[in-house]
Amino acid sequence: MSETLTASLAQLPVTLADVRAAAGVLAGFVRRTSFERSRTLSDITGAGVWLKFENLQFTATFKERGALNRLSALPVDERRRGVIACSAGNHAQGVAYHAASLEIPATIVVPLGTPTVKIENTRRHGATVIEGGTSVEEAAQLAMDYGRKQRLTFIHPYDDPLIIAGQGTVALEMLAAVPDLDVLLVPIGGGGLISGMAVAAKTLKPSLEIIGVQAATRSPRASRSRRPAASPARSCARWSMTSCS
């Protein structure tokens, strides 16, 4: 079974080698955040619960891992023209912050109604902010259309192999710190984080169980059931979580 899984993982657009390469790109520029055991949560669940503090990144989120990895791969001409992204917050700040450090002009499109503090933080990093679209989907289309006209490179928040590889470095750090983890609990938004982490973790340790956690309001079943899901804590010796900031 493990040999079949390893062979399957090797055929994916993102592999462990890509995640390790991303770790080399991020070294010295993105913080290797602490990974600590929570005594309180461990006592409550009856399992060993470890927390990955990605909220300690400069922009307070793991998103800057993927952003830096993607931006670093841009050829000279694309860097000169600049990049564009769509985000209501975390991805915007990650792209803006690292684009500034790489001297890449950045434009960020945010949906109408985005909190002022997030817009101000993005501008503080030197990005041009365009407000438009009544939803993230409309803002994304606006960003792609504007980007094509201005010849800007679109930096997708999750559907990009380099973004996914960058996010996957979280799992490398977790397993390096605590190799005997049994389960990873990973928050799901667009899916970039769990995709990268799953590739890295399953290649390194095929027996590892990976569980995606999604807000009830985002789940298709949320309108049909409000009952909480059964906790896996009783069946695992190590229960690992990442911050979903």
Side-chain angles (χ1 to χ4, degrees), residues 61-244:
T61 170
F62 68 87
K63 289 281 190 175
E64 62 179 82
R65 292 174 180 264
L68 177 57
N69 194 46
R70 179 69 179 87
L71 292 169
S72 297
L74 292 174
V76 174
D77 60 330
E78 290 187 27
R79 292 190 182 208
R80 187 181 304 112
R81 290 197 301 268
V83 299
I84 189 166
C86 172
S87 168
N90 294 335
H91 179 61
Q93 293 179 59
V95 171
Y97 173 61
H98 286 291
S101 69
L102 294 171
E103 300 183 342
I104 299 173
T107 299
I108 308 295
V109 179
V110 301
L112 296 171
T114 297
T116 302
V117 65
K118 291 188 176 183
I119 294 175
E120 290 178 348
N121 286 340
T122 302
R123 284 187 174 132
R124 190 174 295 117
H125 295 313
T128 298
V129 177
I130 299 175
E131 298 179 63
T134 58
S135 66
V136 173
E137 290 74 18
E138 288 185 7
Q141 188 60 54
L142 175 62
M144 288 187 283
D145 292 342
Y146 182 84
R148 276 192 292 270
K149 292 177 182 178
Q150 301 298 321
R151 299 182 67 211
L152 305 177
T153 300
F154 183 68
I155 307 298
H156 201 285
Y158 51 85
D159 193 12
D160 183 300
L162 290 168
I163 293 286
I164 291 172
Q167 319 303 35
T169 59
V170 174
L172 291 184
E173 294 175 12
M174 294 166 76
L175 285 169
V178 187
D180 58 339
L181 291 171
D182 295 317
V183 180
L184 296 183
L185 282 177
V186 187
I188 299 177
L193 177 64
I194 194 170
S195 297
M197 290 185 64
V199 165
K202 278 291 190 178
T203 305
L204 290 170
K205 189 175 181 180
S207 63
L208 195 68
E209 182 178 3
I210 300 175
I211 300 173
V213 181
Q214 187 178 43
T217 54
R218 295 177 64 93
S219 171
R221 295 186 295 175
S223 60
R224 299 199 298 269
S225 174
R226 293 292 180 181
R227 291 179 298 175
S231 169
R234 295 174 184 171
S235 62
C236 32
R238 297 283 187 188
W239 186 14
S240 175
M241 303 174 69
T242 63
S243 168
C244 51

Side-chain angles (χ1 to χ4, degrees), residues 17-41:
D18 296 316
V19 179
R20 284 176 166 159
V25 171
L26 305 187
F29 300 98
V30 170
R31 183 170 183 174
R32 190 182 182 94
T33 55
S34 58
F35 186 42
E36 301 178 13
R37 186 179 186 277
S38 169
R39 186 174 67 179
T40 299
L41 293 178

